[in-house]
């Protein structure tokens, strides 16, 4: 296999949920990935991600998080323990994420909106204090998520896999925040609209692996599927894949402060 001409960064991957990581990382490098941002969601996944970032040093970079999906299974002391873990390892983290709000009714039934907001505000405050970028999950909570990020004073934020209203997207862009494009850019109408409406200056690429994508043919994603995000974005924006690759990688390097860390980045 020849090495790709692209240099890409997967800015949001759940590597702790991926099996056979050695092989998966080798495949990722073959398609041109130069870095993967591994995002955590709870105490256990944050610990795993910190370990992986040591094992694959210079390729896997940790973001430590507290996902709204996990709050329902955590009591107050576990939340506290997770927040302490994040703060204790903040210097190793290139970002805080995955964090955010999810207003899907099943998620709200497990952890109500107030509880989600309280946890979100606490991690945003950590990000602000240590000047870390945040990777935000904002499903059905786009406006509230944006408002809380803005109010927190956090300067760098990416609303990952954005599918929300154009009105909120305009606020995201005006604030200098980002959205990231997943492989669902190939077919998902709301996500395609968001990618189309976002200037390349405010765009990152990601896979959110191991999420299952596809309309007719379904597949479980890996970081190497970043090329699907790339290709779909290039087609939508009628720009070359090279231009999209160069610009989104440049954005990701600046966003996660990776200058000098990645070879020739
Ligand atoms: Zn995710």
């Amino acid at each position: 296999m020849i090495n790709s001409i692209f240099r890409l960064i997967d800015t949001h991957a759940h590597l702790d949920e991926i099996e056979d990581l050695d092989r998966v990382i080798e495949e990722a490098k073959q398609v041109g990935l130069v870095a993967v941002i591994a995002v955590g969601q709870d105490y256990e996944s944050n610990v795993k991600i910190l370990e992986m970032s040591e094992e694959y040093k210079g390729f896997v970079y940790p973001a430590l998080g507290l996902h709204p999906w996990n709050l329902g299974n955590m009591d107050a002391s576990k939340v506290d323990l997770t927040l302490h873990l994040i703060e204790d390892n903040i210097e190793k983290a290139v970002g805080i994420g995955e964090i955010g709000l999810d207003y899907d009714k099943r998620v709200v039934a497990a952890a109500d909106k107030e509880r989600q907001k309280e946890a979100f505000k606490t991690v945003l405050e950590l990000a602000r204090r240590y000047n870390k970028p945040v990777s935000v999950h904002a499903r059905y909570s786009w406006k509230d998520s944006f408002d809380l990020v803005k109010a927190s004073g956090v300067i760098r934020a990416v609303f990952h896999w954005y599918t929300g209203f154009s009105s909120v997207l305009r606020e995201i862009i005006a604030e200098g925040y980002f959205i990231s494009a997943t492989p669902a850019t190939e077919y998902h109408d709301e996500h395609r609209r968001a990618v189309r409406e976002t200037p390349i200056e405010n765009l990152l690429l990601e896979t959110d692996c191991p999420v299952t994508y596809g309309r007719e043919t379904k597949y479980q994603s890996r970081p190497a599927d970043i090329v699907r995000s790339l290709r779909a974005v290039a087609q939508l924006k009628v720009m070359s894949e090279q231009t999209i690759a160069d610009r989104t990688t440049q954005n990701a390097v600046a966003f996660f402060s990776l200058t000098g860390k990645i070879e020739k980045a």
Side-chain angles (χ1 to χ4, degrees), residues 12-14 17 39-41 67 69 97-99 135-137 160-161 206-211 213:
H12 187 111
H14 297 274
E17 296 173 19
V39 293
Q41 358 188 22
H67 198 298
W69 289 356
E98 180 167 2
I99 58 174
S135 189
V136 180
H137 173 104
H160 104 93
W161 196 348
E206 60 153 317
T207 63
D208 202 17
C209 63
V211 162
Y213 292 103

